[in-house]
Amino acid sequence: MANVKQQLETPSLSPLGYPPEVYERRNLNENNGALNIFARKLTSVLGSLFGPKGGKFMNNPYGAFQSTVDQTAAVANTAYAMTLNTTDYANGVSVASSSRITVADSGIWNLQWSGQFENPDSQDHDVRVWLKINGTVVVGSTGFFAVPSKHGSVNGHALVGWNYFVSLNASDYIELWWETDSTQVSIQTYAASGSYPSTASLIATMTFVSNLPTI
């Protein structure tokens, strides 16, 4: 049973009458009929949920965010938080203080990100990206990559991204941090031009995967 928003509705239990002191077949039939109606509602819900298209009725938490501003490193080899200023979609996930992707529910989450890096220098430069949860670095989360140098009159570009599975409690937040060996490297946004649309400097999505294991 689904409503107009295509969300499954919890079946309500049909009211059952109190049995009289003396057996009455009418009372038994009424109660059996009410239980039969409830069983049919429950069967309908379970059939919708576990059927071939059951996923469309599920309402899991998620968030999709992006940045529409350039992000630079004022000092080389110095850590900076990546920022997000636009919410595309959100259900139980929000961004606080420009960089803190905050979840309302505990669970295992999938964080995916991609950044549009630019290098106007004549040599390649390295960048490192890692995670912090509630302000504490996540051991083993750093990724290294190089942004190519300028070629001719065209700056070097690299669209870089990967994903993490993380365990978070309700109200925890996660951040993406970066540093580079050159202040010339930046995370850039670009305006629309010709036949292609604009480019976000940073995109990040958070998807709920599972409840936290209890064993």
Side-chain angles (χ1 to χ4, degrees), residues 6 27 31 44 55 61 68 72 77 81 87 90 96 105 132 164 211 214:
Q6 289 195 322
N27 177 266
N31 286 344
S44 176
T68 58
T72 58
N77 300 313
T87 298
D105 301 292
K132 286 187 179 182
Y164 302 89
N211 289 325
T214 56

Side-chain angles (χ1 to χ4, degrees), residues 1-187:
M1 296 176 62
N3 57 28
V4 293
K5 295 182 179 179
Q6 289 195 322
Q7 295 178 334
L8 290 179
E9 295 179 314
T10 302
S12 58
L13 180 63
S14 302
L16 300 177
Y18 292 99
E21 295 183 3
V22 179
Y23 167 78
E24 290 185 7
R25 183 166 183 172
R26 178 181 60 82
N27 177 266
L28 180 64
N29 289 341
E30 289 176 351
N31 286 344
N32 284 344
L35 290 173
N36 183 52
I37 291 174
F38 175 74
R40 292 190 180 201
K41 291 179 180 179
L42 185 59
T43 300
S44 176
V45 169
L46 293 175
S48 298
L49 181 60
F50 295 108
K53 297 182 179 180
K56 73 176 182 178
F57 296 112
M58 299 179 69
N59 184 22
N60 287 331
Y62 56 82
F65 314 96
Q66 62 176 294
S67 174
T68 58
V69 297
D70 301 336
Q71 303 187 42
T72 58
V75 181
N77 300 313
T78 301
Y80 296 93
M82 294 183 179
T83 60
L84 300 155
N85 66 356
T86 301
T87 298
D88 295 317
Y89 305 99
N91 178 27
V93 185
S94 60
V95 174
S97 302
S98 300
S99 63
R100 299 177 176 181
I101 303 173
T102 308
V103 300
D105 301 292
S106 62
I108 303 300
W109 292 81
N110 183 8
L111 168 63
Q112 300 189 59
W113 76 278
S114 65
Q116 181 66 65
F117 291 83
E118 180 179 282
N119 178 15
D121 198 11
S122 58
Q123 62 180 347
D124 296 355
H125 287 294
D126 288 336
V127 175
R128 294 162 289 278
V129 176
W130 65 94
L131 295 181
K132 286 187 179 182
I133 294 178
N134 299 331
T136 301
V137 296
V138 177
V139 176
S141 65
T142 303
F144 290 72
F145 57 91
V147 183
S149 62
K150 183 176 183 178
H151 41 286
S153 60
V154 180
N155 292 340
H157 301 283
L159 181 64
V160 181
W162 54 80
N163 72 293
Y164 302 89
F165 268 34
V166 292
S167 175
L168 300 173
N169 293 313
S171 300
D172 281 353
Y173 67 87
I174 190 167
E175 296 174 291
L176 289 158
W177 284 72
W178 74 295
E179 67 177 28
T180 175
D181 62 13
S182 172
T183 58
Q184 295 199 61
V185 174
S186 60
I187 313 174

